[in-house]
Amino acid sequence: FFFFFFFQAEDGIRDVERSRGLGDVYKRQVSTQSTWVLLLSKRTNETVRVDVLRQVLNTFEVSIEIRGKIWANILEASECEAKYKRILNQVKYGKFRLSAPLEELIASDVQRSFADANPSFALSVKNILRAYAHYNTKVEYCQGMHSVAGFLLHFLKSEAIAFKALTQIFNKFEMSCFFAKDVVALKRCFFQLDRLLFHHYPSLAEHLRNEEIEADLYSPTWFLTFFTGIMSYSKEIAVPPGLIAVWDFFIIDGWKAIFKTWMFIFSELQDKLLDAKFEEIMGLLGNLRNTSAFHSSAGKLRAFLNQKNITRRTLRIIEQEFDSIAEEGQEDIEDEFPDMPFKGNVLLK
């Protein structure tokens, strides 16, 4: 099977503009017909398909509509309209109605975050969350999920597809574990982030430790929302370009893209953080909405995410370290290796 690409600049995708030369003779722009059609056979090798889509996202200027189609393709979020309507109708009219406290929590979060958005958009987000709460009774709804649902809806445009994408993300990245009573999965992320910070930016890690700041103080919201918590919604939704870059990589590479994003944030804020005390540090890391990482430095962020300086193997090594310490019943895992960020010398090889 083969891949066929038809390009149209005005319909959502343009080639990255090349520098001019030889009297402005060579300036590439790709153009084609009514939609940018990507014919990918379902029998195509999964790795090849995803690699092609990765190249599309990183090579071309892609519109919201086309990007949404690519994300849906990668997440296999399609052909779900009937199932979504059935679930939503069960919540609205059937015997599986949500509890009053749960309905109130969803309504409150949606109202707070989408008060300035179009009412129809806010209602759609609410519908997605209510349907998911019924679909996944183990998690139901937790604060922060509304940010992810709204972000997906903005790009995917369809309630049903956004709902399917939300379920795929939670399944693919085992997010249900993050909302367990012992929140061990979230603690593991804190541990991994502290270790990576120590390895990549030891002076900054030491400074944060002296200020008694560890990842569990500033990072929970960003882990649980995949950084979509930086979004603000009005009738005209503007998405920070850096956040788009993070998600282009996240839906393909998973958690390593989130940790790479953190390393980039530290690199951007390092000078300010080193000169700051507790309250200012918490302000900088707790409110990332206006940080340059997602705005003026978005191009640098995308280039940074393209690097392979954090691998799944790296994360597994740190995860194993966390698990071994947790199994030994040690409450303070940082005391196990106070002077070394990792066991041995194998990390990042």
Side-chain angles (χ1 to χ4, degrees):
F1 290 86
F2 300 92
F3 300 98
F4 299 90
F5 298 94
F6 302 89
F7 307 97
Q8 180 171 359
E10 59 270 15
D11 279 333
I13 295 189
R14 292 181 183 272
D15 194 11
V16 175
E17 184 175 321
R18 302 294 194 264
S19 59
R20 299 184 180 189
L22 297 178
D24 293 341
V25 172
Y26 189 71
K27 179 181 178 182
R28 291 183 53 196
Q29 283 191 350
V30 185
S31 61
T32 64
Q33 35 187 312
S34 59
T35 56
W36 198 71
V37 181
L38 177 61
L39 298 178
L40 289 167
S41 168
K42 291 184 179 180
R43 294 175 58 186
T44 301
N45 179 275
E46 174 72 7
T47 301
V48 174
R49 179 177 68 88
V50 172
D51 282 347
V52 169
L53 294 177
R54 183 199 297 273
Q55 290 301 315
V56 171
L57 292 171
N58 283 291
T59 304
F60 299 98
E61 296 178 13
V62 184
S63 70
I64 289 176
E65 290 74 18
I66 298 300
R67 178 168 268 105
K69 291 178 181 178
I70 292 175
W71 286 2
N73 187 296
I74 294 172
L75 293 170
E76 299 180 349
S78 59
E79 302 177 3
C80 52
E81 188 72 32
K83 181 178 180 180
Y84 174 72
K85 287 184 176 179
R86 184 171 65 253
I87 293 174
L88 191 59
N89 285 334
Q90 288 175 342
V91 174
K92 286 183 174 180
Y93 313 113
K95 61 180 180 180
F96 300 107
R97 297 189 181 186
L98 306 181
S99 66
L102 187 55
E103 288 276 16
E104 291 174 6
L105 179 59
I106 292 173
S108 174
D109 283 353
V110 170
Q111 172 60 29
R112 185 180 67 254
S113 295
F114 302 98
D116 296 328
N118 286 318
S120 60
F121 185 88
L123 179 59
S124 291
V125 174
K126 184 178 178 180
N127 286 339
I128 293 168
L129 296 172
R130 295 173 74 202
Y132 188 82
H134 170 57
Y135 169 81
N136 188 343
T137 56
K138 182 178 179 180
V139 172
E140 290 187 329
Y141 172 77
C142 292
Q143 289 183 312
M145 289 172 60
H146 65 293
S147 295
V148 181
F151 185 76
L152 289 170
L153 180 63
H154 175 62
F155 282 91
L156 304 180
K157 305 303 181 186
S158 159
E159 278 187 34
I161 297 176
F163 165 78
K164 179 65 174 180
L166 184 65
T167 64
Q168 293 290 80
I169 287 171
F170 264 64
N171 292 338
K172 182 177 181 179
F173 303 119
E174 300 179 340
M175 287 301 294
S176 294
C177 299
F178 280 69
F179 302 102
K181 289 184 178 180
D182 60 4
V183 292
V184 65
L186 192 54
K187 291 178 181 177
R188 184 182 295 116
C189 282
F190 300 153
F191 183 78
Q192 289 171 312
L193 182 55
D194 283 332
R195 286 298 199 238
L196 288 169
L197 174 60
F198 201 115
H199 182 82
H200 289 275
Y201 304 101
S203 296
L204 179 57
E206 188 64 29
H207 177 61
L208 294 187
R209 177 176 290 185
N210 291 338
E211 292 296 320
E212 300 183 349
I213 295 176
E214 294 181 347
D216 62 319
L217 291 182
Y218 60 82
S219 68
T221 296
W222 310 123
F223 277 122
L224 294 176
T225 67
F226 312 113
F227 294 107
T228 59
I230 71 171
M231 285 286 295
S232 59
Y233 292 88
S234 61
K235 289 182 172 57
E236 296 295 328
I237 300 174
V239 184
L243 184 58
I244 296 174
V246 171
W247 270 71
D248 281 347
F249 283 85
F250 168 63
I251 63 172
I252 295 174
D253 295 330
W255 286 108
K256 73 175 185 177
I258 300 298
F259 286 107
K260 281 186 178 184
T261 301
W262 271 117
M263 294 304 104
F264 183 77
I265 290 170
F266 290 135
S267 73
E268 288 289 293
L269 296 178
Q270 182 171 206
D271 291 342
K272 291 182 179 179
L273 293 170
L274 286 171
D275 290 335
K277 296 298 182 181
F278 183 92
E279 289 186 2
E280 188 179 354
I281 292 171
M282 290 300 298
L284 288 168
L285 296 178
N287 182 9
L288 297 174
R289 181 165 292 171
N290 297 318
T291 182
S292 62
F294 294 106
H295 297 279
S296 59
S297 298
K300 288 168 57 181
L301 172 56
R302 185 175 289 276
F304 189 91
L305 291 170
N306 260 317
Q307 299 173 7
K308 296 183 179 179
N309 62 330
I310 296 177
T311 66
R312 291 187 178 89
R313 179 173 178 267
T314 296
L315 296 177
R316 281 197 302 271
I317 290 171
I318 309 174
E319 181 177 339
Q320 291 167 2
E321 180 185 347
F322 172 88
D323 291 342
S324 66
I325 295 172
E327 287 174 4
E328 294 170 7
Q330 298 181 36
E331 295 183 0
D332 188 355
I333 55 181
E334 289 297 332
D335 287 343
E336 178 69 4
F337 303 100
D339 299 318
M340 292 182 62
F342 304 102
K343 287 181 180 178
N345 211 13
V346 298
L347 198 62
L348 299 176
K349 285 187 177 179

